[in-house]
Each structure stands twice: as structure tokens, then as C-alpha cells.
């Protein structure tokens, strides 16, 4: 009896299981999948209420999400599309190989496109909509390292010449070339978005998809069925930007967004997850975040094998093999795969007994099967209510054989020898003779060939070629702007205000402007109240796709938190990366959507350039237009916050961005002049520039605009106040910027009153513009030795002036030092090198030695050095002004 009990228990359990399964089959047949899902959920809840603890998993089995019997039929010609894909593969490979033969080490990537060719070709032939007459077109973020394949297809389409392909990565050659990766700055008629800085493509795609809805919900763009596609690699998902915003996409129900992740299991150095399964990991992440997940793991040849797997042995085996082992299978023989994958169980071996080792080796992965990819794309395009991610299993370097297919070194593969080229040629049926193979010639069939005819017809049906960047917007009418900004030229008439308050007032007026108001896009990362912008909540509302489904806690106040479907403010939460992604979407909408939106992104200046500098660079490459506003700026102006918040170097970082125009204004009229001129340059004249302004929270009276100051403000320097002292022992030129300009004005008075020094005061809103102008003049003079030399603007300003020159700002001394070479005399720079402190403004300015007292001492010291005054005057000033000459050096303390 003891021996039969376990058997009886096992039999009983098997019987119960069979009865439950039969019951479930009945419900499935009679009620359908929705009823089954509801029933399973109710059973799970019932079990949990009765103390049953079931382990949570967000994973499904390691098989395709779409079963073979639910797979949409493939609509195109598999054979012609295979030949097109083979030609693209060859030309992409030839492009890289030829480039590195012509110039060793020029670089390029073969393996990424080799693994993703099917993913792209199915899209090009059946899904990617161009900007035709009847639709707005899809927005596609191409994986940067796949650029050779995108160029190769454009070559077949007749859009790029063989000469261009020959000059891949050699853009400066005669006739021009092709940029290494997607760069709109370098190829403004071709690429739309830069993506090769890992992680930026995914996050920008998410905010682009949301911004598309923003435009539609606000009536700035008609509703469309356009999609945003983002192609990325599985290794790229390690970048925080790749996955950091995916909950926004599900929260906003961005069913216009599709991620295609090329899961070739490899990054640059080795496996992405050698000891795990990256596809399963990503599935859990995206399903947990609320995305629709479609796995495309196994090709069509596996369908029959899976159909025979009635007891689940094969699916179990698929789920227990780690990626490092799968990568090994890709480079080993069919015999190896038979032994190590199938040989784990005799029943698995029996399942493939009818297949040869060669047939086992050729079992296709899902990402290389056009039918599987098509079915996934179709499901993604038709899915509603959620964003979709497609996890497609591929082999890195697919098709390049012994040269690197599936190997860890394949990412760096740039060259192939003659035998490898011949093998590739033969594998993909490229009609190139043996004697020509070593030259890796480009091959394009005639225009009337079946391949070219087919691909052109498919693109015609889909609305035109992609990628393609076109700008068709009309210049904005801005006739109302001079009157709008006139208010700020007259000063504050005794009232105190900060430059932040001034900017918010300007923004409010711009939002009400009849000509451009609806195009203004305020963007803020959860700091609107910090910047005094809460009045805009009521004025224009905060954008929300669903409106406001609750009554805000401050509903009974005038400035309550108002969300609305037609809201104008993009309130991004504590999220500078997401905010600037929205800024890029809005600032490039003139090209992407044909809408001239004007973004104003205001944020804590310390959390801008140094936190999202890579995205700022991408904004520049994208030819983004708009205004970045660094709020609570200045190392000594933001009191109390301390080291992590006090910005004294964002202008140094902005200087490196070639088309970013930066200003550190002090007064209301300076901001007004800069923003008005910026709107004209970007939105009327169509310049591919954008602006960075720092604004402060320190309040003081705003003076009226001096006569004739406008040009100087824009160029970066103008004389603000001349000395009233006609006769003096010494003379000086004092230059101030931003918050420290008021300290310079105080120093002017002290020098005149107490030390008999006549000092002129200059405002320097932009050291960057002075620096660029100086170098531009030097370059022109260097290249035109026989012509009349050009004189830098800053040199012109100080021509004919007398006295020592002291320059002070709330930023590092390098800003002032950047213009030293064009000054008629040496300058003394005062700035805020070093870490900030939690202190008040007066103490901070004393600590960093930029207050009026230190400006006075610096001026007197230079005058003593010049022999104009006695050094004793400087010593007495140090004592009288209570300066400790032994205090710590702020730059290193």
C-alpha cells in the first residue's frame, strides 16, 4: 500500500489537471480569450485571498508572441524583396570596405546593419510612410550604426550617387560624401534625427510621439495615423535614457510609438547578458511599464518543431539556455548545436532526427524572417491604447560568415579579404565577377529592373522616400513684437524685479500675442513655482491628453493647478532629460511637422548643460530652434542652496556648442532685445540656431535702455555708464556681466568717491559672442593677408579708451579670459572658480572675491602696477574695505 499511494496521488493530480485544462478549453471555445483572461484573473485573486502566494513574473515563454496560426499573411514578393535586401547588404558592406581601403582606419560598421537588414527592409517595403500629399509621414529614429544600410538603400533608390558612397566618412572630399552616422547638421536634406549617441534616440522618440499628440490636441496639426519608430540595439538599453522614460509612453497611451529592439545579444565588447536572457529581461521591463510587447525570436522553420512540442520540452529548453550559449550556437556547426542544444534530452533529439546538421544550422531566427517581422509590425501598427516594443532576435554580423558573424569582434569589423568578399557575394547572389570582387564594387541594377521598379513602386505607395528632411514652413509674421517688448525698454521705474520675473512677464505677453501666441511652448521640469510661473497655469493650462480627471487641492485659489487637453505648458516633472527631449521635438517641429513652434525651456541652470549636455549637442545637430533659460543662475546669486545648485560654469559649457547663442543678461531691456532678435533670426530668417539665456532670482531696479545699446547687446558688449569724473588721478574700464554688473556699478562709485579713479562701466551680456567674433576676424585676416584687416568688435569698443581693464562675472574666470587677446591692454579677470557654498549673496560674493570691494582692489592693484598710484593706496584699501589677504583661495577650497 505504501508503494502505491504516491502513484495514486500522482494519478489524481494528473486527473485534476486534465479536468481543469478541459474546463479551460471549454471556456476558451465558448467565451473566447477575453473571458479566459478574466476567469484566470478571478481565480488568481481568489487563491491570493485564501493565502496562496504565487511568484510574480512579467515574462511569457521564450517563443514568438504571435502564434503561427495567427500570423498575418505576407503581402509582398518574398523573392524580389530578398534580392533587394541582398543588394542593400552588399552595397552597405562595400561602402565600409572601400572606405577603409582608401584610408586605413576611417572606420564604419558592417555588422549592425547586417543583423538588422530584414527589420529595416520590411519597414521600407510595407510600413514606413513618407511625407506624401495624403499623409504626414512616419517619424523614424534609425539606429546610428546601421547608417551604411540606409545609405545603400538610398543608392538603389537613385537618391545617392556612387560617388557619395565612395566618400562615406570622407565628407570633405571633392563632390561631398556621407556622414558616419545620422547627422541633420551635416546632411540636412536626408537625416532628421541624430541617434548614434546611445540612448538619445529612444528618449527623443518617446517625447516626439507625445509632442505629436500635443500638436494635434491643441489644433496646430491635423490628426493623423503617423507612427514614431525607434530602432535601437539591445546593448543600447543599458543607457539610462533608453528606458528611463518608458512609463511616460504607457501613461500617455502613446499607441503612435513603436520601439524595434534588435536583439543580436551583443554589444561592442561581448554579450549583452551572457549569463541571462536580454529578451526576457526587456520583456519584463516593458510589460511592467505597461507596453505591448511582441517577441520575434524564431523563424518560420521552427513552427513545425514547436507544433510537435506537445509536452513543452522544446519551449522549456529554449527558456533555459542563456544568451552566451545562444551566441555560441550562432558560430558553431550544426553538429555542435545538435549535441549541445537538442542533446539535453533524447526526446528533443528525436524531434530533429529528420533534419541534417546543415538544416539545423540554417534554422532561421525571427528577426531574419520577413514573414515574422511583417506580422509583428502589422500587429504593432494596428494596436491601440499602448506603445509597442518589438524584441527581434538576430545574429550580429549576419551573412558576413567567417569574417565575424556572431563573434565578439564583429562590431569592429571594417575590412574583409577577397575570399570573405567572394563568399558574401555568392551567399547573397550578387552578380559580380570573381575578378572584380576584390575591388568591392557597388552594384545597382538598371532603373527598369524588377528590383528597382519594385522598391520605387513600394515607396510611391507609401508616400515617398525615407529618410528625408524637408522644411516647408512659411516665415512667421512678427510685426507685433516691437510693440510687445517696448514695455521692457523703459525700466521698472523704481520697482524691483529679477530677470526671472521679467522673463515670465515677457512669456505671458508672448502667449497672448495674436500672431505667435499659440505657437509658444513653455517647458518646465517641475520648477514653475520656483520661477514664478504659476500664473500661467490658469492662463494657458498644463497639457494633459486626458484633461483633468480630479479636482486639484488648490481649486479654490486663483492660480490653481490646471491640467487641460488643450493646455499649452509642458510640465515634465523632475526630469531635465525628458524636458529637453520635448524641447528638441518642439524646436524641430518646423521640419518634422511643418509647424513653427517656439519652445521656451526654463530650468535650474546648474541642471542644464552639465546634466543633459549630450542632448543639448543633439539639439544642435537636429537644427533645433528655441530658447533655453537657465533659471536661478549665477554662482553667488542663488543664495543658500550650495554646491550642487550654484551655477558658475554653464556658459563655459555652452560656448562649445557651435550654433548655440548664449547670453548672461542683467537688465530687462537686454532680455527683450535678445529674445526679439532671436525670434526674428530663427522664425523669420530661418537660421539654424538656438539660444541660451541665464536669468536670476535677485531683485533690483531695472534701468531704462541706453540710447544706441541694441547692437552692442546683441554683439555682447556696450558702454553702460561713463564716468562723471572729468579729472582723476587714475582711469579704469570696468566690465561686468549678469548679476555682478551691479557690483561693478557700486565699484565705479567707490572708486570715484574714495580713490579719485574715473571708471567707465561696460555691460557684457555675451563673452561667447565676443569670443566667436574675435576668432572669426583672426581667421579672415590670416587667410586674406593682403586685404585690410578686420578688427574684432571688442577691440573696436576699447579703442581710444584709457586706464586699466577689470572684468567681473558670476561665472568662471575663463569666460572673461576668453576675450583677453583682443583687448588693447591686459585685463584682470574676477570670477567664481570653485565650489559653491550654502550662504547668502553678500557672503558668497565676498568668498568668491567678486563683490564691489574686490573689484575696487583689483582696479587699484592694476593702477599701482602701472605706476599710476602708489602701492600703499592698495594696501590701505585692503584694510579699509576689511578684506582678509590671507583668506582661503575659493578656487580650491
Amino acid at each position: 500500500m505504501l508503494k502505491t499511494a504516491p502513484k495514486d496521488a500522482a494519478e489524481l493530480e494528473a486527473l485534476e489537471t486534465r479536468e481543469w485544462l478541459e474546463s479551460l478549453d471549454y471556456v476558451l471555445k465558448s467565451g473566447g480569450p477575453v473571458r479566459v483572461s478574466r476567469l484566470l484573473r478571478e481565480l488568481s485573486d481568489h487563491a491570493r485571498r485564501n493565502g496562496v502566494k504565487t511568484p510574480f513574473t512579467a515574462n511569457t515563454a521564450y517563443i514568438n508572441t504571435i502564434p503561427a496560426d495567427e500570423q498575418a499573411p505576407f503581402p509582398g514578393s518574398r523573392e524580389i524583396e530578398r534580392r533587394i535586401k541582398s543588394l542593400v547588404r552588399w552595397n552597405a558592406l562595400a561602402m565600409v570596405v572601400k572606405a577603409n581601403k582608401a584610408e586605413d582606419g576611417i572606420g564604419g560598421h558592417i555588422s549592425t546593419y547586417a543583423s538588422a537588414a530584414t527589420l529595416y527592409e520590411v519597414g521600407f517595403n510595407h510600413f514606413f510612410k513618407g511625407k506624401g500629399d495624403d499623409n504626414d509621414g512616419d517619424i523614424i529614429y534609425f539606429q546610428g550604426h546601421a547608417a551604411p544600410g540606409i545609405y545603400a538603400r538610398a543608392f538603389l533608390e537613385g537618391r545617392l550617387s556612387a560617388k557619395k558612397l565612395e566618400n562615406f566618412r570622407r565628407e570633405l572630399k571633392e563632390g561631398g560624401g556621407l556622414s558616419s552616422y545620422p547627422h541633420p547638421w551635416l546632411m540636412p536634406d536626408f537625416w532628421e534625427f541624430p541617434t548614434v549617441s546611445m540612448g538619445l534616440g529612444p528618449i527623443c522618440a518617446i517625447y516626439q510621439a507625445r509632442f505629436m499628440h500635443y500638436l494635434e490636441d491643441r489644433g496646430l496639426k491635423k490628426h493623423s495615423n503617423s507612427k514614431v519608430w525607434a530602432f535601437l540595439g539591445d546593448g543600447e538599453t543599458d543607457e539610462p535614457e533608453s528606458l528611463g522614460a518608458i512609463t511616460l509612453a504607457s501613461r500617455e497611451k502613446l499607441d503612435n510609438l513603436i520601439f524595434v529592439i534588435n536583439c543580436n545579444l551583443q554589444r561592442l565588447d561581448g554579450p549583452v547578458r551572457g549569463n541571462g536572457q536580454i529578451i526576457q529581461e526587456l520583456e519584463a521591463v516593458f510589460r511592467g511599464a505597461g507596453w505591448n510587447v511582441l517577441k520575434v525570436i524564431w523563424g518560420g522553420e521552427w513552427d513545425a518543431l514547436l507544433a510537435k512540442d506537445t509536452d513543452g520540452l522544446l519551449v522549456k529548453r529554449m527558456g533555459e539556455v542563456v544568451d552566451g550559449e545562444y551566441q555560441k550556437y550562432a558560430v558553431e556547426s550544426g553538429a555542435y548545436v545538435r549535441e549541445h542544444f537538442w542533446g539535453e534530452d533524447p526526446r528533443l533529439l528525436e524531434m530533429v532526427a529528420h533534419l541534417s546538421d546543415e538544416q539545423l544550422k540554417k534554422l532561421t531566427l525571427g528577426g531574419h524572417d520577413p514573414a515574422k517581422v511583417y506580422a509583428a509590425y502589422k500587429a504593432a501598427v494596428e494596436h491601440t491604447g499602448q506603445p509597442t516594443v518589438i524584441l527581434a532576435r538576430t545574429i550580429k554580423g549576419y551573412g558576413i560568415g567567417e569574417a565575424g558573424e556572431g563573434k565578439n569582434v564583429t562590431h569592429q569589423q571594417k575590412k574583409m579579404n577577397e575570399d570573405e568578399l567572394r563568399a558574401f557575394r555568392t551567399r547573397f547572389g550578387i552578380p559580380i565577377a570573381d575578378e572584380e570582387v576584390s575591388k568591392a564594387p557597388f552594384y545597382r541594377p538598371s532603373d527598369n529592373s524588377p528590383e528597382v521598379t519594385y522598391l520605387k513602386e513600394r515607396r510611391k505607395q507609401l508616400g515617398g522616400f525615407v529618410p528625408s528632411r524637408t522644411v516647408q514652413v512659411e516665415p512667421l509674421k512678427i510685426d507685433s513684437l516691437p510693440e510687445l517688448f517696448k514695455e521692457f525698454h523703459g525700466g521698472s521705474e523704481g520697482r524691483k524685479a529679477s530677470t526671472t520675473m521679467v522673463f515670465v512677464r515677457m512669456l505671458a505677453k508672448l502667449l497672448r500675442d495674436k500672431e505667435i501666441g499659440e505657437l509658444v511652448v513653455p517647458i518646465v521640469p517641475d520648477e514653475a513655482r520656483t520661477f514664478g510661473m504659476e500664473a500661467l497655469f490658469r492662463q494657458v493650462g498644463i497639457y494633459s491628453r486626458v484633461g483633468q480627471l480630479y479636482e486639484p487641492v488648490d481649486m479654490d485659489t486663483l492660480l490653481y493647478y490646471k491640467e487641460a487637453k488643450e493646455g499649452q505648458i509642458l510640465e515634465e516633472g523632475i526630469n531635465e532629460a525628458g524636458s529637453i527631449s520635448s524641447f528638441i521635438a518642439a524646436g524641430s517641429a518646423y521640419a518634422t511637422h511643418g509647424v513653427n513652434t517656439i519652445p521656451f525651456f526654463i530650468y535650474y541652470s546648474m541642471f542644464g548643460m552639465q546634466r543633459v549636455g549630450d542632448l543639448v549637442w543633439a539639439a544642435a545637430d537636429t537644427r533645433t530652434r528655441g530658447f533655453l533659460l537657465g533659471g536661478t543662475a549665477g554662482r553667488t546669486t542663488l543664495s543658500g542652496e550650495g554646491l550642487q545648485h550654484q551655477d558658475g560654469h554653464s556658459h563655459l559649457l555652452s560656448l562649445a556648442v557651435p550654433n548655440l547663442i548664449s547670453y548672461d543678461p542683467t537688465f530687462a531691456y537686454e532680455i527683450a532685445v535678445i529674445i526679439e532678435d532671436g525670434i526674428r533670426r530663427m522664425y523669420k530668417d530661418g537660421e539654424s540656431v538656438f539660444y541660451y539665456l541665464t536669468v536670476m532670482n535677485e531683485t533690483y531696479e531695472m534701468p531704462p535702455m541706453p540710447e544706441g545699446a541694441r547692437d552692442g547687446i546683441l554683439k555682447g558688449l556696450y558702454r553702460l555708464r561713463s564716468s562723471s569724473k572729468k579729472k582723476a588721478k587714475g582711469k579704469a574700464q570696468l566690465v561686468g556681466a549678469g548679476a555682478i554688473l551691479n557690483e561693478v556699478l557700486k565699484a565705479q562709485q567707490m572708486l570715484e568717491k574714495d580713490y579719485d579713479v574715473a571708471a567707465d562701466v561696460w555691460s557684457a551680456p555675451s563673452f561667447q559672442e565676443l569670443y566667436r567674433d574675435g576668432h572669426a576676424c583672426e581667421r579672415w585676416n590670416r587667410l586674406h593677408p593682403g586685404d585690410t584687416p578686420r578688427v574684432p568688435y571688442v577691440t573696436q569698443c576699447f579703442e581710444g579708451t584709457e586706464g586699466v581693464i577689470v572684468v567681473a562675472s558670476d561665472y568662471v574666470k575663463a569666460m572673461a579670459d576668453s576675450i583677453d587677446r583682443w583687448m588693447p591692454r591686459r585685463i584682470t579677470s574676477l570670477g567664481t572658480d570653485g565650489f559653491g557654498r550654502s550662504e547668502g549673496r553678500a557672503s558668497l560674493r565676498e568668498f568668491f572675491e567678486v563683490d564691489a570691494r574686490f573689484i575696487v582692489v583689483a582696479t587699484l592693484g592694476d593702477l599701482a602696477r602701472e605706476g599710476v598710484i602708489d602701492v600703499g593706496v592698495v594696501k590701505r584699501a585692503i584694510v579699509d574695505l576689511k578684506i582678509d589677504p590671507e583668506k582661503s583661495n575659493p578656487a580650491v577650497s
Side-chain angles (χ1 to χ4, degrees):
M1 292 293 293
L2 291 175
K3 293 182 179 179
T4 58
K7 181 180 179 183
D8 292 342
E11 289 176 353
L12 179 61
E13 183 175 326
L15 177 62
E16 287 178 341
T17 301
R18 186 163 63 251
E19 289 176 349
W20 275 99
L21 292 175
E22 288 172 354
S23 297
L24 194 65
D25 287 340
Y26 172 79
V27 175
L28 179 62
K29 186 176 180 180
S30 60
V34 175
R35 172 63 184 131
V36 169
S37 296
R38 192 163 61 246
L39 178 60
L40 291 174
R41 185 166 59 251
E42 290 173 0
L43 284 171
S44 177
D45 290 343
H46 181 77
R48 187 166 54 252
R49 286 194 297 270
N50 285 275
V52 177
K53 297 180 180 180
T54 55
F56 170 79
T57 178
N59 281 122
T60 60
Y62 196 73
I63 56 174
N64 296 343
T65 304
I66 302 174
D69 58 355
E70 296 180 15
Q71 186 175 304
F74 190 84
S77 169
R78 289 283 297 268
E79 177 54 29
I80 293 180
E81 291 189 25
R82 184 194 64 78
R83 296 206 301 269
I84 292 170
K85 182 167 58 179
S86 295
L87 293 173
V88 176
R89 285 181 182 278
W90 171 263
N91 287 315
L93 176 144
M95 191 187 322
V96 177
V97 170
K98 287 170 76 73
N100 284 272
K101 282 185 176 182
E103 187 164 338
D104 189 39
I106 200 69
H109 298 274
I110 296 172
S111 58
T112 296
Y113 181 77
S115 69
T118 300
L119 303 178
Y120 283 115
E121 279 303 306
V122 172
F124 278 120
N125 288 321
H126 301 283
F127 293 97
F128 300 159
K129 295 190 292 292
K131 291 181 170 68
D133 296 333
D134 299 327
N135 59 69
D136 295 331
D138 286 348
I139 297 168
I140 308 168
Y141 290 79
F142 292 95
Q143 190 177 359
H145 291 97
I150 311 305
Y151 291 141
R153 180 170 237 274
F155 170 64
L156 289 185
E157 293 167 341
R159 296 199 292 148
L160 293 177
S161 67
K163 185 68 175 176
K164 289 285 189 182
L165 267 62
E166 286 177 4
N167 288 340
F168 171 62
R169 289 193 167 220
R170 295 186 298 166
E171 299 172 75
L172 303 180
K173 295 296 182 183
E174 184 178 352
L178 301 175
S179 62
S180 54
Y181 305 116
H183 293 300
W185 185 261
L186 303 173
M187 297 178 66
D189 299 325
F190 192 84
W191 294 116
E192 290 189 279
F193 312 107
T195 56
V196 81
S197 183
M198 300 289 94
L200 301 196
I203 192 171
C204 285
I206 290 171
Y207 283 87
Q208 181 71 252
R210 198 273 298 270
F211 190 71
M212 185 188 298
H213 283 307
Y214 172 90
L215 293 175
E216 293 171 353
D217 290 341
R218 293 195 53 234
L220 298 176
K221 178 179 181 288
K222 71 179 191 303
H223 286 269
S224 73
N225 60 355
S226 296
K227 301 293 182 183
V228 177
W229 299 77
F231 286 82
L232 57 153
D234 48 359
E236 186 174 357
T237 61
D238 284 340
E239 288 285 0
E241 292 89 348
S242 294
L243 304 181
I246 61 174
T247 54
L248 170 81
S250 53
R251 187 168 66 247
E252 298 276 336
K253 296 179 171 57
L254 299 181
D255 51 15
N256 60 339
L257 175 65
I258 301 169
F259 272 22
V260 181
I261 303 183
N262 177 14
C263 298
N264 57 37
L265 312 188
Q266 291 179 242
R267 50 191 176 205
L268 274 68
D269 292 336
V272 179
R273 296 290 185 273
N275 296 312
Q277 291 182 324
I278 186 61
I279 288 178
Q280 297 299 85
E281 179 180 320
L282 291 175
E283 178 190 31
V285 168
F286 279 96
R287 288 189 73 198
W291 285 53
N292 175 42
V293 179
L294 299 175
K295 294 192 291 192
V296 186
I297 302 175
W298 309 106
E301 297 93 337
W302 290 84
D303 290 341
L305 297 172
L306 286 165
K308 293 164 59 177
D309 185 35
T310 55
D311 54 6
L313 280 174
L314 177 56
V315 173
K316 178 177 178 294
R317 179 63 180 146
M318 289 171 166
E320 64 191 16
V321 177
V322 296
D323 286 353
E325 192 66 20
Y326 274 126
Q327 184 186 352
K328 180 80 167 172
Y329 298 155
V331 301
E332 291 291 348
S333 65
Y336 181 93
V337 175
R338 186 186 300 274
E339 177 185 353
H340 291 84
F341 179 80
W342 302 97
E344 284 293 306
D345 190 300
R347 291 169 292 180
L348 290 176
L349 282 173
E350 178 62 27
M351 191 181 292
V352 293
H354 64 293
L355 297 177
S356 68
D357 289 346
E358 184 178 0
Q359 288 173 315
L360 282 183
K361 179 67 176 175
K362 289 183 177 180
L363 288 175
T364 310
L365 292 176
H368 299 306
D369 186 328
K372 298 295 184 184
V373 173
Y374 176 86
Y377 283 9
K378 189 173 189 295
V381 167
E382 294 175 353
H383 188 77
T384 59
Q386 291 173 291
T388 293
V389 59
I390 295 168
L391 304 174
R393 173 77 168 88
T394 65
I395 295 174
K396 194 160 190 175
Y398 183 73
I400 66 175
E402 290 301 314
E405 182 172 330
K407 298 178 180 178
N408 282 335
V409 298
T410 189
H411 186 83
Q412 305 298 337
Q413 188 66 37
K414 323 289 183 193
K415 301 176 181 179
M416 295 177 72
N417 61 39
E418 186 172 343
D419 289 339
E420 292 164 343
L421 287 169
R422 184 178 290 108
F424 189 95
R425 181 273 323 258
T426 302
R427 178 171 178 174
F428 293 104
I430 311 300
I432 295 175
D434 284 350
E435 58 270 21
E436 296 293 319
V437 166
S438 63
K439 301 175 185 176
F442 300 123
Y443 179 79
R444 183 180 186 272
S446 64
D447 282 341
N448 60 0
S449 67
E451 295 87 354
V452 174
T453 300
Y454 184 94
L455 71 82
K456 284 190 173 182
E457 179 59 28
R458 292 308 306 143
R459 291 316 312 158
K460 181 180 179 182
Q461 291 296 320
L462 288 165
F465 295 118
V466 291
S468 177
R469 183 181 181 276
T470 56
V471 179
Q472 297 178 328
V473 292
E474 294 294 323
L476 288 184
K477 294 181 179 179
I478 55 173
D479 299 335
S480 61
L481 292 190
E483 185 62 29
L484 185 150
F485 286 107
K486 185 178 179 181
E487 162 193 341
F488 304 99
H489 293 181
S492 59
E493 298 178 339
R495 300 186 307 275
K496 290 186 176 183
S498 68
T499 50
T500 301
M501 294 164 60
V502 168
F503 163 71
V504 172
R505 168 72 178 154
M506 290 180 191
L507 182 61
K509 293 191 71 173
L510 283 167
L511 287 164
R512 290 193 294 267
D513 185 76
K514 292 181 179 179
E515 288 183 338
I516 66 172
E518 67 175 4
L519 298 173
V520 173
V521 182
I523 304 170
V524 59
D526 199 39
E527 292 285 1
R529 297 185 191 277
T530 303
F531 304 132
M533 296 174 64
E534 59 266 40
L536 300 182
F537 293 167
R538 186 72 179 270
Q539 180 182 334
V540 295
I542 297 163
Y543 173 69
S544 166
R545 283 203 71 197
V546 298
Q548 193 153 33
L549 305 178
Y550 64 96
E551 183 175 294
V553 68
D554 55 356
M555 185 68 182
D556 58 347
T557 66
L558 179 64
L559 306 178
Y560 72 90
Y561 194 84
K562 175 187 172 186
E563 297 188 71
K565 191 169 184 178
E566 69 280 2
Q568 203 159 345
I569 300 169
L570 288 175
E571 166 64 85
E572 302 294 15
I574 307 172
N575 182 4
E576 285 82 7
S579 298
I580 198 165
S581 297
S582 282
F583 175 80
I584 293 171
S588 59
Y590 69 94
T592 309
H593 302 287
V595 182
N596 250 327
T597 43
I598 309 172
F600 287 86
F601 170 29
I602 184 168
Y603 53 89
Y604 251 108
S605 65
M606 189 66 160
F607 306 138
M609 296 295 163
Q610 73 174 25
R611 171 166 284 192
V612 292
D614 200 9
L615 281 158
V616 173
W617 191 259
D621 192 349
T622 308
R623 296 173 173 262
T624 301
R625 298 170 184 170
F627 296 89
L628 300 172
L629 283 298
T632 55
R635 187 87 81 202
T636 70
T637 310
L638 179 59
S639 59
E641 289 295 288
L643 184 152
Q644 190 62 57
H645 288 68
Q646 291 164 345
D647 168 34
H649 54 277
S650 65
H651 279 287
L652 187 64
L653 301 176
S654 73
L655 175 61
V657 183
N659 55 338
L660 180 58
I661 302 172
S662 302
Y663 290 95
D664 182 27
T666 308
F667 301 125
Y669 64 80
E670 293 179 343
I671 301 174
V673 166
I674 293 163
I675 292 180
E676 181 183 351
D677 191 65
I679 293 174
R680 175 191 62 78
R681 289 181 64 178
M682 293 183 287
Y683 295 97
K684 184 178 180 181
D685 299 343
E687 290 189 50
S688 293
V689 296
F690 63 123
Y691 281 70
Y692 175 53
L693 283 72
T694 40
V695 290
M696 287 83 71
N697 62 349
E698 181 178 4
T699 61
Y700 43 84
E701 183 177 351
M702 297 291 163
M705 179 172 166
E707 187 176 349
R710 183 182 183 279
D711 286 348
I713 293 170
L714 297 175
K715 291 179 179 179
L717 182 70
Y718 66 97
R719 195 193 308 259
L720 174 65
R721 185 180 298 171
S722 297
S723 175
S724 60
K725 199 174 185 68
K726 302 304 179 185
K727 293 184 179 180
K729 177 179 283 189
K731 293 185 177 181
Q733 306 297 320
L734 307 182
V735 182
I740 302 304
L741 178 54
N742 284 315
E743 295 293 329
V744 171
L745 289 168
K746 293 176 190 174
Q748 179 193 38
Q749 297 175 1
M750 294 166 65
L751 286 165
E752 293 184 352
K753 178 174 178 286
D754 301 328
Y755 299 99
D756 196 22
V757 175
D760 291 348
V761 173
W762 300 75
S763 174
S766 181
F767 291 115
Q768 292 94 323
E769 288 300 285
L770 298 174
Y771 171 88
R772 289 170 177 173
D773 171 74
H775 275 291
C777 288
E778 280 193 1
R779 176 184 178 275
W780 194 91
N781 294 340
R782 186 164 59 248
L783 298 177
H784 301 82
D787 296 341
T788 303
R790 293 180 179 177
V791 181
Y793 173 73
V794 67
T795 306
Q796 296 177 43
C797 287
F798 284 95
E799 186 176 353
T801 62
E802 297 180 78
V804 298
I805 303 173
V806 176
V807 185
S809 81
D810 216 5
Y811 289 81
V812 292
K813 299 179 184 73
M815 296 309 302
D817 289 342
S818 69
I819 63 171
D820 177 63
R821 64 193 296 166
W822 302 294
M823 290 291 201
R825 301 174 292 283
R826 68 177 293 278
I827 68 172
T828 292
S829 299
L830 302 180
T832 56
D833 299 47
F835 288 121
R837 295 293 194 278
S838 298
E839 259 294 355
R841 292 190 185 106
S843 296
L844 287 168
R845 287 169 185 167
E846 177 182 20
F847 174 75
F848 282 105
E849 302 168 9
V850 292
D851 66 13
R853 299 172 306 142
F854 281 93
I855 296 169
V856 167
V857 168
T859 305
L860 296 175
D862 284 355
L863 288 170
R865 191 177 301 107
E866 297 288 327
V868 176
I869 62 174
D870 187 79
V871 71
V873 176
V874 186
K875 291 180 178 180
R876 284 194 301 275
I878 290 174
V879 174
D880 294 343
L881 296 174
K882 298 179 180 178
I883 291 175
D884 178 8
E886 305 305 321
K887 69 184 288 289
S888 299
N889 181 354
V892 295
S893 62

